[in-house]
Amino acid sequence: MAPVLPLVLPLQPRIRLAQGLWLLSWLLALAGGLALLYSGHLLAQLWLLRTFLAPSCPFAALPQVALAAGLGALGTGLVGAGASRASLDAAQYPPWRKVLGPLLVLGTAGGGGLLILALGLALALPGSLDSALEDGLGTALAHYKDTEVPGHCHAKRLLDELQLRHHCCGRHGYKDWFGIQWVSSRYLDPNDQEVVDRIQSNVEGLYLIDGVPFSCCNPHSPRPCLQSRLSEPHAHPLFDPRQPNLNLWAQGCHGVLLGYLQDFASVLGGGLAVTFLLQILVLLGLRYLQTALEGLEGVIDAEGDTRGYLFPNGLKDMLKTVWRQGGVAHRPAPEEAPPEEAPPEEGLPEA
């Protein structure tokens, strides 16, 4: 049976193939390194934003798998660059002959599998961010006042830093603060009649006001920030409650963080796609170079034509071999075996 996808490679095409593979291998190493750095940066950002994501959010699996895929691509690129450069020198190539086989197997099965898995996660997991941010931000807003409660004492600081850094206010807008008690009870005067009336007017006994924390204030506003009595149209002169973005951040943190993390996933997915394409080209080129040099005893400068290929036999024969080696060929069970016929007895009288 003829080899699969054979390619005739004379001397000069073999040299050009080795030189091209050297360049592609370094590009693969660069792409793998960038994927490694970018996925590490995304993992660090998720660690900083872990308070505002639901604990069950699977999005953190994306940078973890991308880290492994980037590391594998980096290793494949470095080894491929060394092997392709050594193939230009007959004295340096023999030690690399034992490396190319495992490299091709690990690069195809391990590195390729990780890249495909990371690409699938980059396409599928960003959709889980919506509900994860919805739950996480809601919990963070509810614990904003719990500055002395163990486990939630840093919620106020983290949420203030989030709103200041990402220029957002509330979960979906500044009015989200109107529906929760965000002022700690220790700062409320129990003798103040207004405080007592607000608490008693609420079914759950919460102190609700139409105001926002200071971190919602927009420092670029031309006027002093207004944080309280925002729903009263005549409480502040020259303030239009229909345009609160003049004083407060207009966007909610849910939409800002959702776009922020989805942009990360899109860029990382694009980088992984380029890395996957480069890895395919490098592995195919190394396979053709390996099989071509095997026919010349590993001497790249030998004259004459030789053929590179992907598999030594046809694809059909290869699948048959794998099928038989896997032990899946059907063999009749002992009870299925046809019974042996008894040998005819000799010397019996005819009827």
Side-chain angles (χ1 to χ4, degrees):
M1 183 66 67
V4 177
L5 297 177
L7 182 63
V8 178
L9 293 172
L11 176 60
Q12 290 303 319
R14 289 198 304 270
I15 295 176
R16 288 195 294 270
L17 175 60
Q19 293 172 341
L21 279 176
W22 180 84
L23 178 60
L24 281 177
S25 296
W26 278 112
L27 289 176
L28 175 60
L30 177 62
L34 291 176
L36 196 64
L37 292 175
Y38 201 80
S39 55
H41 181 58
L42 176 57
L43 192 62
Q45 293 299 310
L46 289 177
W47 186 83
L48 294 174
L49 297 173
R50 66 191 184 281
T51 306
F52 312 110
L53 289 169
S56 59
C57 179
F59 187 76
L62 171 60
Q64 295 172 1
V65 176
L67 273 172
L71 185 61
L74 177 61
T76 303
L78 293 177
V79 177
S84 57
R85 183 177 180 83
S87 66
L88 296 172
D89 189 344
Q92 296 181 5
Y93 180 71
W96 288 91
R97 295 176 67 181
K98 299 179 180 180
V99 177
L100 279 177
L103 171 66
L104 292 171
V105 174
L106 292 176
T108 303
L114 284 173
L115 284 171
I116 292 175
L117 178 59
L119 278 172
L121 293 177
L123 294 174
L125 288 184
S128 65
L129 286 172
D130 194 351
S131 59
L133 286 171
E134 189 76 18
D135 296 339
L137 285 170
T139 302
L141 264 69
H143 292 294
Y144 184 86
K145 68 180 187 304
D146 300 331
T147 54
E148 297 181 350
V149 178
H152 302 291
C153 54
H154 300 293
K156 176 184 180 302
R157 177 181 60 83
L158 293 174
L159 194 50
D160 285 334
E161 291 177 352
L162 175 72
Q163 294 187 142
L164 290 171
R165 183 184 303 115
H166 292 277
H167 297 175
C168 59
C169 181
R171 181 163 50 176
H172 297 288
Y174 75 99
K175 290 186 178 180
D176 290 335
W177 291 106
F178 298 177
I180 64 170
Q181 178 180 340
W182 55 270
V183 180
S184 176
S185 299
R186 63 175 298 188
Y187 300 113
L188 299 177
D189 185 3
N191 299 319
D192 189 338
Q193 188 61 40
E194 182 183 357
V195 173
V196 175
D197 292 341
R198 285 185 179 273
I199 294 177
Q200 291 179 350
S201 64
N202 186 267
V203 177
E204 299 178 359
L206 301 176
Y207 178 73
L208 304 181
I209 58 174
D210 52 347
V212 296
F214 78 97
S215 54
C216 283
C217 292
N218 184 353
H220 305 293
S221 172
R223 64 186 67 163
C225 183
L226 305 177
Q227 298 175 243
S228 60
R229 303 173 66 185
L230 296 177
S231 60
E232 300 180 25
H234 304 294
H236 306 284
L238 303 180
F239 174 72
D240 187 357
R242 295 171 298 180
Q243 295 181 342
N245 58 316
L246 294 178
N247 280 273
L248 308 175
W249 300 122
Q251 291 183 296
C253 293
H254 178 275
V256 172
L257 289 182
L258 184 62
Y260 179 71
L261 294 176
Q262 285 181 343
D263 289 343
F264 261 106
S266 298
V267 175
L268 182 58
L272 291 172
V274 173
T275 304
F276 180 67
L277 178 61
L278 288 173
Q279 182 147 327
I280 289 178
L281 294 176
V282 169
L283 292 175
L284 286 176
L286 286 175
R287 176 58 176 168
Y288 276 107
L289 185 63
Q290 177 200 29
T291 53
L293 293 180
E294 289 299 324
L296 297 172
E297 301 297 331
V299 182
I300 187 106
D301 55 353
E303 296 289 345
D305 295 345
T306 184
R307 288 196 305 172
Y309 49 83
L310 293 182
F311 305 105
N313 297 319
L315 185 60
K316 184 177 180 181
D317 289 348
M318 183 193 68
L319 293 176
K320 284 183 178 180
T321 303
V322 172
W323 182 272
R324 291 170 181 171
Q325 290 177 351
V328 296
H330 177 71
R331 295 182 178 89
E335 61 272 14
E336 296 178 356
E340 296 183 359
E341 296 182 1
E345 299 182 3
E346 297 181 358
L348 293 178
E350 295 181 0

